[in-house]
Structure formats: structure tokens, C-alpha cells
Amino acid sequence: MSRINNCQKKIRDHGYGVTETWGYGRNGTRLIMNILAPRKADRRLMTLVNELAPDAFIMVNEPTHMSGGFWSKEVDQRFRKATHRD
């Protein structure tokens, strides 16, 4: 469980928004993370997730409408700040 929490923290530390939910499948419980990222950051995010959880199942969705939540004008500033310190 600590590996999972560490993964979420590292993703957030890189400026991404992470929403956690749990899924229940044939082989048991799985953590599902929805990660918000600017389109220009998709390769960087994929690299980070593959480093943190090489066995992760990844699905990319293109949002058609968003309202409220983590995404705002400030997310661009947080993302730029996080990517410039790397």
C-alpha cells in the first residue's frame, strides 16, 4: 500500500491532478487513478507512470467538456513550476 501512496504523491509532486478510486475485478481490488495533464505533457506523464508502476494499465481519454475541480488557470502555473524544477 505504501508503494501506491508514494506513486500518487510523486505524480502530484510533478504538478498533475490525481483522483483515486477503487475498482473490483475478477482478480481482486485495483486502484484506479484519473490523472489530469495538459496534452503537451502526455509523453512526460507516460514516462513517469512507467517508472513508478511499470505494470500499470494506462488508458488516455480526450476530454470534450470539463467543469470545476482541479483544472483551472492555476494548474498551468503549478505544472510549469513543477516541470521547471526537474
Side-chain angles (χ1 to χ4, degrees), residues 30-66:
R30 298 283 304 233
L31 173 66
I32 300 168
M33 291 188 287
N34 290 302
I35 304 169
L36 287 171
R39 188 181 320 183
K40 62 187 172 196
D42 62 349
R43 286 189 182 156
R44 191 176 308 130
L45 176 58
M46 294 296 281
T47 299
L48 176 63
V49 171
N50 283 322
E51 288 172 3
L52 297 172
D55 57 341
F57 172 77
I58 300 170
M59 184 171 63
V60 178
N61 295 312
E62 182 81 25
T64 56
H65 177 75
M66 290 175 28

